[in-house]
């Protein structure tokens, strides 16, 4: 008896911010929020020069996201990721995200992070992987190609909360092609 164990890795793609909708957050440089939060910063908060910052609870920014263009047979999950931090001694913050469509207007979901404590480095906050859109139906290209991400400093105990990166991970199943079939024979 042969017991072969394996796991199937689902392909993923990251949808990055590519347009501004609105902001209450201050920009570290330039005039575009999306340009400041569309790439990762691996250093500590003090050395980052590409971020948006909030000093009050309720401050919110909203960005449009790239379209989903992968060939697929199903869209299996959608998950928001935000990289944020506050390096003020003894400070805490919470992030609220809202994933919605621009047109037709529809909220897919709203989710709050746990309370985050101050740190010299950014914290990667990974929200729930959603297998269905807000109406409970399977995700569609129309859902994904009109996505907007809202990031709010839901709670803020002081200092400055910064966001340096945010995006949406889409997990999908590739289409099966007869040319890629594996045949076993004698």
């Amino acid at each position: 008896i042969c017991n072969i164990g394996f796991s199937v890795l689902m392909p993923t793609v990251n949808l990055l911010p590519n347009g501004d909708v609105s902001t209450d957050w201050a920009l570290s440089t330039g005039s575009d929020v999306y340009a400041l939060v569309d790439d990762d910063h691996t250093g500590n908060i003090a050395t980052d020069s590409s971020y948006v910052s909030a000093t009050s609870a309720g401050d919110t920014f909203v960005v449009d996201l790239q379209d989903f263009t992968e060939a697929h047979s199903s869209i299996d999950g959608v998950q928001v990721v935000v990289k944020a931090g506050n390096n003020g001694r003894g400070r805490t913050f919470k992030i609220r995200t809202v994933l919605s469509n621009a047109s037709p207007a529809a909220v897919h979901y709203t989710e709050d992070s746990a309370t985050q404590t101050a740190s010299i480095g950014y914290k990667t906050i990974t929200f729930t992987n959603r297998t269905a859109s807000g109406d409970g139906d399977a995700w569609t290209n129309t859902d994904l190609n009109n996505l907007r991400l809202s990031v709010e400093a839901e709670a803020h105990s002081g200092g400055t909360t910064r966001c340096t990166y945010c995006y949406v991970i889409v997990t999908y199943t590739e289409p099966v092609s007869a040319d890629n079939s594996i045949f076993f024979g004698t």
Side-chain angles (χ1 to χ4, degrees), residues 45-157:
I45 294 170
T47 63
D48 188 9
S49 62
S50 179
Y51 60 87
V52 293
S53 60
T55 56
S56 302
D59 285 352
T60 303
F61 70 84
V62 182
V63 291
D64 286 326
L65 298 168
Q66 296 170 325
D67 286 345
F68 177 71
T69 59
E70 307 301 315
H72 63 282
S73 61
S74 65
I75 300 166
D76 305 309
V78 174
Q79 183 174 33
V80 173
V81 178
V82 174
K83 195 167 189 178
N86 185 327
N87 63 354
R89 181 180 227 162
R91 301 302 180 187
T92 60
F93 67 96
K94 283 178 73 174
I95 297 292
R96 170 177 287 154
T97 60
V98 178
L99 196 60
S100 63
N101 273 95
S103 177
V107 172
H108 292 295
Y109 69 86
T110 300
E111 187 173 0
D112 302 335
S113 73
T115 298
Q116 307 294 313
T117 57
S119 172
I120 193 169
Y122 286 108
K123 297 189 178 205
T124 301
I125 305 164
T126 305
F127 293 87
T128 304
N129 183 33
R130 306 291 176 147
T131 58
S133 66
D135 59 9
D137 292 335
W139 291 100
T140 66
N141 277 32
T142 301
D143 295 332
L144 297 183
N145 290 342
N146 293 297
L147 279 182
R148 283 195 168 159
L149 175 60
S150 171
V151 178
E152 176 187 347
E154 179 193 10
H156 177 83
S157 71

Side-chain angles (χ1 to χ4, degrees), residues 14-17 65 79-82 124 149 165-169:
N14 294 343
L15 304 182
L16 301 175
L65 298 168
Q79 183 174 33
V80 173
V81 178
V82 174
T124 301
L149 175 60
Y165 194 33
C166 61
Y167 58 96
V168 170
I169 301 170

